[in-house]
Structures are given as structure tokens and as C-alpha cells.
Amino acid sequence: MKLKWAIIFAFILGMMLPSASALAANTFESNYTYDFWGNSQKSLPAFELVNSIDGSSMGDIPLGSVDDVYVSSDRIFLVDSTESRIDVFDMDLKFLVSIKLIRDDAGKIMVNPETNQQLMLNKPEGVYLNESSNELFIADTEAGRIVVLDGSTYAYRRTIEKPENMVGVTQFKPSKIVVDKDGQISVVVQGSYEGIIQLNHDGTFNRYFGLNKPRVNLVDYFWKSIASNQQKQKMKKIFAPSFNNLTFDSEGLIYATTFDASAQNKVFRFNSKGENVLLQNGYFPVIGDLHTGGVIEKKSQFVDVAVSQFGVYALLDKTMGRIFLYNFEGDLMNIFGGAGNLKGDLKDPTAIAWAGDQLIVTDKTFSAAYLFQPTEFGQAALDAERQYYNGKWEQAGAEYEHTLHLNSNYDIAYTGVGRNYLMRDMSEEAMYYFELGNSRGYYSKAYNEYRNLFIQHNFMWLVIPFVLAAFALLYSEFRYNRKNS
């Protein structure tokens, strides 16, 4: 009996745990992607570490942590909430200046008249340079305000505190901030379920923006549908998940992320109405890792998003310290990076930003910012997406073919080459590449085009049998009627 129960227990345990082959299939290298069937496929590295900013980069000035990064056309801004400071570097990663005490146009430290103390930043978490107005916006989180400085001299310009006309229950503790060309300010407040706060240029409240829908629990929905009003009041309320970061794309639309487990989506691209218009035409939705290679699956938690000028966006995953690259269509291009203790590894990633075709990734625990540049394969992939985004089909097709010579497992490239053939009305060749890339939607378009062209080119050969059959039928009827007349 003991042996019998031991066998039964072992069988049940074996059914519950993933097989050794499944674990092996989901054990990742540092660079990979997913195929159509959801299997991880090794890939050439798209980016490689070339430089970094750490405590030694600033001489005697200590670097407490790095909580945010913003890259302008000529400077890099790092937010250090531990030291309550903004550190500024040039594009060669050379240290320029540190902003902690707020100064006037004459360079004198300003004093708060109410407390008679020096005016300084208090654990800021976000920064943004609006180059159109040449103003530096700092989300001074702990102080519950936005400090606006001159974009060149860093002299004090104004302070935006909680607007008097602001509605809702959200506390005004700005965490992340962006400003559009018209001066409209969009602010993320951690933990807010009312959405992104949008302010006018003068600091007055405009609206809450962007709806983050929670997942629907069918059991709770059933009970609430039959509960009385008194019972509903006692039930736990469901709030909209909060956002944790945001940025702009080249068209001025806001990208935002959330790592709230109750959210339906993790990444958003909002139009002016606050509707999510993010394209997700890839094999899978934009959710990050499908598997994490362990017995307990860990879902990706995106802490930041960076969007290039040609629609490629990079998502920073806090769970496994990885960077996910997606193109404008929502195709997964590459996954690289990982958690660890070596230089370039991530322990507590906080922010990511594009610097041209390079990526800057920050880590709070290591108090460092890492600069990654594209490899030959990565550059070819980016160039292909750039050409396709700008409508240059033939150049895009050539770049996609280049990526295939470097990495034959790169499914997106097969689809890219197929699109080029489809644009040139070469449907049969397009079908071949779409099949290789498992692009079923585009394959259907190419097949329909191929069928239409086939009918056009062979119309006479298709009609002649029907004409002959009709003629034979009429002739037989004629002979039959003549014979019986």
C-alpha cells in the first residue's frame, strides 16, 4: 500500500511540475526572442555595453542613486533622489553641473521667505527639458511641486504647486513629467487611480488623462450583479490601476506604462482623447516575457518606456532586468540584458532613454547609468525599421535582407522582405517570405493579390471553357429540337 501511494503521489507531482525539457526550452540566454509558437529562440545581441556613468564619473561628488534619465539634443539629465539632485552630462558622458540648490539669475542661492531656509530640491523623481521653451521641469516629489528652471543657466523661473482648481482625491506629488511643444504638462503621480494629471502651461489644472482599465473578475462581477445596494456598499471597490511612467513619441502622443497586476494592459499609446491606440500586431500582445524559465512564472513589470523617432520603443522590465524592443507594429524585435552583479547587469532598473540609436539604462541599486550601442545586427534592424516607418519600402527591404544574412531566425525580417515584394506587386515572392515569417495576416493579403492578378492575366483561359460549354449546350439543344420537330 505504501508503494502504491508513493507511485500515485509521484505521478501527481510530475503532472503539476513542468517537465525538464520544458524548463530547458525556457532557459534563456541574454539575447533571445519568441517565435510564432511561443518558444524562446536565441538571437544575436542587438545592443552591447560601451560606457557607463557611476560615482567615479563625478569626481568628489557622490552619486546616491539614479532614478530617472532624460536625454535632450545635447545633454543627459540624471535624477538622484537619494542626494536630492539633478546631475547633467554632455553627450560624451562628461560631467557638467549638479543642480540641488535653486539659484536666481545672478547665481545666488534663493531663500524660502516662510522658513528662512535655502531653497533646494527634495527627493525629486523626474526631469524633462522642454526645448521649445528652453525650460527644465523637475518633479520635486517629496516637496509636492514642480520646479521650473531656465534650460541653459538653470536659474529659477517658477514653481508649480497643487492647482487650486484641481479636482479628485489624488495627492499632488509629481513623480514623472513630460511637457509638449504647446507647454501642456503631463504628470504621473504614483498610486493615483484617476489617471495622468494634465496641467496648462500656467500650472492650472486641465484634466485627468488616459484610462487604465482593470481586469474583470467574473466571480466578483457575478456577486455584484445579484447583490443589493447595501451589500454593494460593503464590497471592496475596484479602482483603476495607476501609471508609473510616461514619454512622448515623434507624433506627440503619450506612451505610458504600468506594472499594476490588475491592469488589462501594460503599455499604452494614448491619442488626444485618452484612448489606447497602441498597435499590437505581433505574434503576442505587448506583455514582455512569455516564460521566465522557472517553476514559478514571473510576469514582466515595466518601469519605463523609451520611444525612438521611428516608432521603435524599448521597455525596461524590473522583474528580470531585461530590455524588450518592439517596433511600431508591435512586433517583438529583441530581448537583451538581465539581472546580475556584473557591469551592465541590472539589479533595480529605474529608467531608459534613447540617445540617437543608443540606449541609456539606469539602475538605482548600482547607482549607475549604462550606455548601450547597437551591434551590427541591431543597427541593421533599427535601420530597417527606420526606412519602413518613413515609407521607403525598397531600402527597408534591403536592410531586412541584411538582417537575415546576420540572423536567419529573425522572423520580422522575413515579413519585412515580404512587405517590400507586396508593395512591388510581386505577390508570389511576398507569399514565400510571409510564410517563412509566419505572418498570416500579410500572407492572406498577398494571396488575395496573387489570386486577383492570376485571374487578370488568365482571364481568357478561364472564360473560354465556360464559353465552349455554353456553346455545346446550346448546340445540343438546337440539334434535339431540330430532330423532334
Side-chain angles (χ1 to χ4, degrees), residues 35-54:
D35 61 16
F36 176 80
W37 311 105
N39 299 317
S40 59
Q41 298 290 337
K42 292 180 64 175
S43 174
L44 290 176
F47 284 81
E48 59 185 355
L49 179 68
V50 292
N51 209 340
S52 65
I53 299 174
D54 51 30

mmCIF file of all heavy atoms in Angstrom, residues 35-54:
data_model
loop_
_atom_site.group_PDB
_atom_site.id
_atom_site.type_symbol
_atom_site.label_atom_id
_atom_site.label_comp_id
_atom_site.label_asym_id
_atom_site.label_seq_id
_atom_site.Cartn_x
_atom_site.Cartn_y
_atom_site.Cartn_z
ATOM 1 N N ASP A 35 9.320 32.833 -31.073
ATOM 2 C CA ASP A 35 8.791 32.532 -32.385
ATOM 3 C C ASP A 35 7.263 32.491 -32.335
ATOM 4 O O ASP A 35 6.639 32.769 -31.300
ATOM 5 C CB ASP A 35 9.355 31.204 -32.921
ATOM 6 C CG ASP A 35 8.998 30.002 -32.041
ATOM 7 O OD1 ASP A 35 8.078 30.119 -31.201
ATOM 8 O OD2 ASP A 35 9.653 28.956 -32.191
ATOM 9 N N PHE A 36 6.665 32.117 -33.451
ATOM 10 C CA PHE A 36 5.200 32.123 -33.576
ATOM 11 C C PHE A 36 4.545 31.192 -32.568
ATOM 12 O O PHE A 36 3.412 31.432 -32.133
ATOM 13 C CB PHE A 36 4.815 31.711 -35.010
ATOM 14 C CG PHE A 36 3.345 31.596 -35.249
ATOM 15 C CD1 PHE A 36 2.568 32.723 -35.475
ATOM 16 C CD2 PHE A 36 2.718 30.359 -35.244
ATOM 17 C CE1 PHE A 36 1.208 32.625 -35.690
ATOM 18 C CE2 PHE A 36 1.351 30.242 -35.460
ATOM 19 C CZ PHE A 36 0.604 31.385 -35.681
ATOM 20 N N TRP A 37 5.251 30.131 -32.186
ATOM 21 C CA TRP A 37 4.677 29.124 -31.292
ATOM 22 C C TRP A 37 4.938 29.439 -29.817
ATOM 23 O O TRP A 37 4.574 28.645 -28.947
ATOM 24 C CB TRP A 37 5.243 27.754 -31.644
ATOM 25 C CG TRP A 37 5.166 27.469 -33.110
ATOM 26 C CD1 TRP A 37 6.185 27.480 -34.003
ATOM 27 C CD2 TRP A 37 3.976 27.192 -33.866
ATOM 28 N NE1 TRP A 37 5.731 27.219 -35.268
ATOM 29 C CE2 TRP A 37 4.373 27.038 -35.223
ATOM 30 C CE3 TRP A 37 2.628 27.053 -33.535
ATOM 31 C CZ2 TRP A 37 3.469 26.756 -36.224
ATOM 32 C CZ3 TRP A 37 1.727 26.775 -34.551
ATOM 33 C CH2 TRP A 37 2.139 26.621 -35.869
ATOM 34 N N GLY A 38 5.584 30.564 -29.530
ATOM 35 C CA GLY A 38 5.838 30.945 -28.150
ATOM 36 C C GLY A 38 7.093 30.346 -27.562
ATOM 37 O O GLY A 38 7.306 30.420 -26.350
ATOM 38 N N ASN A 39 7.945 29.748 -28.394
ATOM 39 C CA ASN A 39 9.207 29.183 -27.928
ATOM 40 C C ASN A 39 10.300 30.239 -27.993
ATOM 41 O O ASN A 39 10.362 31.020 -28.941
ATOM 42 C CB ASN A 39 9.602 27.976 -28.775
ATOM 43 C CG ASN A 39 8.581 26.860 -28.708
ATOM 44 O OD1 ASN A 39 8.073 26.547 -27.632
ATOM 45 N ND2 ASN A 39 8.244 26.269 -29.845
ATOM 46 N N SER A 40 11.160 30.257 -26.994
ATOM 47 C CA SER A 40 12.263 31.209 -26.999
ATOM 48 C C SER A 40 13.305 30.775 -28.026
ATOM 49 O O SER A 40 13.631 29.595 -28.144
ATOM 50 C CB SER A 40 12.909 31.295 -25.619
ATOM 51 O OG SER A 40 13.399 30.029 -25.216
ATOM 52 N N GLN A 41 13.799 31.735 -28.800
ATOM 53 C CA GLN A 41 14.798 31.472 -29.821
ATOM 54 C C GLN A 41 16.013 32.356 -29.570
ATOM 55 O O GLN A 41 15.881 33.564 -29.374
ATOM 56 C CB GLN A 41 14.237 31.758 -31.220
ATOM 57 C CG GLN A 41 13.059 30.893 -31.620
ATOM 58 C CD GLN A 41 13.455 29.456 -31.866
ATOM 59 O OE1 GLN A 41 14.614 29.157 -32.147
ATOM 60 N NE2 GLN A 41 12.495 28.545 -31.753
ATOM 61 N N LYS A 42 17.195 31.739 -29.565
ATOM 62 C CA LYS A 42 18.411 32.525 -29.383
ATOM 63 C C LYS A 42 18.560 33.527 -30.516
ATOM 64 O O LYS A 42 18.192 33.260 -31.655
ATOM 65 C CB LYS A 42 19.623 31.599 -29.327
ATOM 66 C CG LYS A 42 19.689 30.713 -28.099
ATOM 67 C CD LYS A 42 20.915 29.828 -28.111
ATOM 68 C CE LYS A 42 22.192 30.654 -28.033
ATOM 69 N NZ LYS A 42 23.392 29.788 -27.924
ATOM 70 N N SER A 43 19.090 34.668 -30.187
ATOM 71 C CA SER A 43 19.255 35.733 -31.172
ATOM 72 C C SER A 43 20.615 36.375 -31.001
ATOM 73 O O SER A 43 21.219 36.325 -29.926
ATOM 74 C CB SER A 43 18.152 36.788 -31.007
ATOM 75 O OG SER A 43 18.360 37.900 -31.849
ATOM 76 N N LEU A 44 21.088 36.963 -32.086
ATOM 77 C CA LEU A 44 22.289 37.773 -31.969
ATOM 78 C C LEU A 44 22.001 38.960 -31.060
ATOM 79 O O LEU A 44 20.872 39.454 -31.020
ATOM 80 C CB LEU A 44 22.730 38.283 -33.350
ATOM 81 C CG LEU A 44 23.286 37.249 -34.322
ATOM 82 C CD1 LEU A 44 23.566 37.916 -35.657
ATOM 83 C CD2 LEU A 44 24.541 36.608 -33.786
ATOM 84 N N PRO A 45 22.982 39.432 -30.305
ATOM 85 C CA PRO A 45 22.744 40.613 -29.463
ATOM 86 C C PRO A 45 22.448 41.839 -30.306
ATOM 87 O O PRO A 45 23.153 42.113 -31.288
ATOM 88 C CB PRO A 45 24.050 40.759 -28.676
ATOM 89 C CG PRO A 45 25.072 40.044 -29.491
ATOM 90 C CD PRO A 45 24.365 38.923 -30.184
ATOM 91 N N ALA A 46 21.422 42.565 -29.939
ATOM 92 C CA ALA A 46 21.081 43.791 -30.654
ATOM 93 C C ALA A 46 21.838 44.991 -30.101
ATOM 94 O O ALA A 46 22.087 45.959 -30.822
ATOM 95 C CB ALA A 46 19.577 44.044 -30.575
ATOM 96 N N PHE A 47 22.234 44.928 -28.818
ATOM 97 C CA PHE A 47 22.960 46.026 -28.189
ATOM 98 C C PHE A 47 24.092 45.462 -27.344
ATOM 99 O O PHE A 47 24.034 44.320 -26.878
ATOM 100 C CB PHE A 47 22.025 46.870 -27.310
ATOM 101 C CG PHE A 47 21.128 47.795 -28.079
ATOM 102 C CD1 PHE A 47 19.962 47.325 -28.662
ATOM 103 C CD2 PHE A 47 21.447 49.135 -28.232
ATOM 104 C CE1 PHE A 47 19.136 48.162 -29.374
ATOM 105 C CE2 PHE A 47 20.624 49.982 -28.948
ATOM 106 C CZ PHE A 47 19.465 49.502 -29.517
ATOM 107 N N GLU A 48 25.097 46.296 -27.145
ATOM 108 C CA GLU A 48 26.231 45.921 -26.305
ATOM 109 C C GLU A 48 26.651 47.113 -25.461
ATOM 110 O O GLU A 48 26.512 48.268 -25.868
ATOM 111 C CB GLU A 48 27.410 45.445 -27.163
ATOM 112 C CG GLU A 48 27.906 46.475 -28.163
ATOM 113 C CD GLU A 48 28.993 45.943 -29.070
ATOM 114 O OE1 GLU A 48 29.415 44.796 -28.847
ATOM 115 O OE2 GLU A 48 29.405 46.669 -29.999
ATOM 116 N N LEU A 49 27.154 46.826 -24.271
ATOM 117 C CA LEU A 49 27.587 47.879 -23.350
ATOM 118 C C LEU A 49 28.880 48.511 -23.840
ATOM 119 O O LEU A 49 29.830 47.820 -24.186
ATOM 120 C CB LEU A 49 27.795 47.290 -21.955
ATOM 121 C CG LEU A 49 28.268 48.261 -20.867
ATOM 122 C CD1 LEU A 49 27.173 49.260 -20.537
ATOM 123 C CD2 LEU A 49 28.691 47.496 -19.618
ATOM 124 N N VAL A 50 28.914 49.854 -23.880
ATOM 125 C CA VAL A 50 30.112 50.555 -24.342
ATOM 126 C C VAL A 50 30.637 51.553 -23.321
ATOM 127 O O VAL A 50 31.820 51.908 -23.355
ATOM 128 C CB VAL A 50 29.860 51.277 -25.687
ATOM 129 C CG1 VAL A 50 29.654 50.287 -26.809
ATOM 130 C CG2 VAL A 50 28.681 52.237 -25.586
ATOM 131 N N ASN A 51 29.783 52.017 -22.407
ATOM 132 C CA ASN A 51 30.251 53.028 -21.448
ATOM 133 C C ASN A 51 29.258 53.096 -20.290
ATOM 134 O O ASN A 51 28.173 52.513 -20.336
ATOM 135 C CB ASN A 51 30.383 54.400 -22.110
ATOM 136 C CG ASN A 51 31.444 55.256 -21.459
ATOM 137 O OD1 ASN A 51 31.833 55.015 -20.317
ATOM 138 N ND2 ASN A 51 31.916 56.269 -22.171
ATOM 139 N N SER A 52 29.617 53.824 -19.249
ATOM 140 C CA SER A 52 28.732 53.942 -18.091
ATOM 141 C C SER A 52 29.037 55.221 -17.329
ATOM 142 O O SER A 52 30.117 55.815 -17.449
ATOM 143 C CB SER A 52 28.878 52.731 -17.169
ATOM 144 O OG SER A 52 30.176 52.682 -16.619
ATOM 145 N N ILE A 53 28.069 55.640 -16.537
ATOM 146 C CA ILE A 53 28.219 56.746 -15.597
ATOM 147 C C ILE A 53 28.018 56.178 -14.199
ATOM 148 O O ILE A 53 27.002 55.547 -13.914
ATOM 149 C CB ILE A 53 27.185 57.852 -15.861
ATOM 150 C CG1 ILE A 53 27.359 58.445 -17.260
ATOM 151 C CG2 ILE A 53 27.294 58.946 -14.809
ATOM 152 C CD1 ILE A 53 26.268 59.436 -17.636
ATOM 153 N N ASP A 54 28.987 56.377 -13.333
ATOM 154 C CA ASP A 54 28.866 55.916 -11.950
ATOM 155 C C ASP A 54 29.500 56.956 -11.030
ATOM 156 O O ASP A 54 29.753 58.099 -11.440
ATOM 157 C CB ASP A 54 29.504 54.537 -11.766
ATOM 158 C CG ASP A 54 30.923 54.475 -12.304
ATOM 159 O OD1 ASP A 54 31.611 55.521 -12.292
ATOM 160 O OD2 ASP A 54 31.359 53.386 -12.724
#
